Amino acid sequence: LISLLAGAGWVLFGRLASIPLLQFLLLLAGIMALGFLLPDFYIKQRIQVRQEAVRRALPDVLDLLTVSIEAGLGLDGAILKVVEKMKGVLPQEFRRVLQEVKVGKPRREALKDMAFRLDIDELSTFVGAVLMAEQMGVQLANVMRLQAQEIRSKRRQQAEEQGMKAPVKMLIPLVFFIFPAIFVVLLGPAALKLFGIFRAGM
């Protein structure tokens, strides 16, 4: 739809501006392609930002859930504490879970749907562990504490991997931008002197 609207706008503008036909058709194809690709790119960017926000918040949310359950609250009460005390994408999703449970949806299904909507491995693992713990009668606090530790450990490993990749990523700007500038600064005066000497000798 956006591609068609952009194309129609360009057709109208092209007729008013009297652009040559070949240039008009090429620009029309480019504008329609941009109108087709940009919405998908924007949506993917928004999804990535949303997922990253959930990943950052998940360990703290698990800590609050753990403390609340250890204080004697049930899972629904602990989730309510998260909704009341925290802000962001993940607390909003937990709010939706509570609303769905309130209207009669099984909590198990509400949590699974939340994990499906967000599509994050860490959250899916957490939801699966919680549901398994409830089914087997394992203490939820222990499960959540282990999940929080595992997520923090995984984030630390990812940060270390990114740190190891940093020197390789820095190599390209060093070779193409920084080194040439250094060579110009260091060798430029010497090159000018040599040029002056050769020119005087000639």
Side-chain angles (χ1 to χ4, degrees):
L1 179 60
I2 294 176
S3 178
L4 293 175
L5 289 175
W10 176 248
V11 168
L12 179 61
F13 175 79
R15 291 185 64 182
L16 294 175
S18 300
I19 298 174
L21 181 60
L22 180 59
Q23 184 180 359
F24 171 79
L25 292 176
L26 289 173
L27 290 173
L28 176 62
I31 288 172
M32 293 189 70
L34 283 175
F36 180 75
L37 295 174
L38 282 178
D40 287 341
F41 176 77
Y42 175 76
I43 291 172
K44 287 179 181 178
Q45 287 293 110
R46 294 294 299 169
I47 290 173
Q48 289 178 358
V49 170
R50 181 179 171 87
Q51 289 179 335
E52 184 58 30
V54 172
R55 287 192 181 96
R56 287 198 304 267
L58 188 54
D60 295 332
V61 168
L62 292 183
D63 288 341
L64 182 54
L65 287 172
T66 303
V67 171
S68 300
I69 290 174
E70 287 178 341
L73 295 176
L75 182 56
D76 289 342
I79 292 175
L80 182 59
K81 282 294 180 184
V82 169
V83 172
E84 291 174 349
K85 301 293 184 182
M86 302 185 72
K87 294 181 180 180
V89 177
L90 191 53
Q92 289 174 0
E93 287 292 332
F94 275 124
R95 183 189 299 276
R96 182 171 175 177
V97 168
L98 292 178
Q99 290 172 347
E100 290 176 347
V101 171
K102 188 179 292 186
V103 298
K105 190 172 188 176
R107 185 175 64 200
R108 184 183 188 89
E109 296 301 321
L111 288 171
K112 283 184 177 180
D113 290 344
M114 178 185 69
F116 178 77
R117 282 193 305 271
L118 294 174
D119 191 23
I120 298 172
D121 292 338
E122 295 92 331
L123 184 63
S124 299
T125 302
F126 158 69
V127 170
V130 168
L131 297 180
M132 183 68 69
E134 282 193 321
Q135 186 176 355
M136 300 180 65
V138 179
Q139 286 188 355
L140 286 176
N142 294 335
V143 172
M144 291 183 182
R145 190 181 296 107
L146 290 173
Q147 287 292 314
Q149 292 174 355
E150 184 177 344
I151 290 170
R152 284 195 171 94
S153 176
K154 188 173 181 180
R155 285 177 60 184
R156 192 179 301 110
Q157 290 175 359
Q158 290 174 347
E160 290 174 355
E161 289 176 2
Q162 293 295 325
M164 293 173 65
K165 292 177 182 177
V168 178
K169 293 180 179 179
M170 292 171 60
L171 188 61
I172 294 175
L174 278 172
V175 170
F176 289 100
F177 298 106
I178 297 176
F179 285 163
I182 292 174
F183 290 149
V184 169
V185 172
L186 294 178
L187 301 180
L192 290 174
K193 282 186 179 181
L194 288 174
F195 179 72
I197 292 171
F198 287 137
R199 190 172 181 182
M202 294 173 61

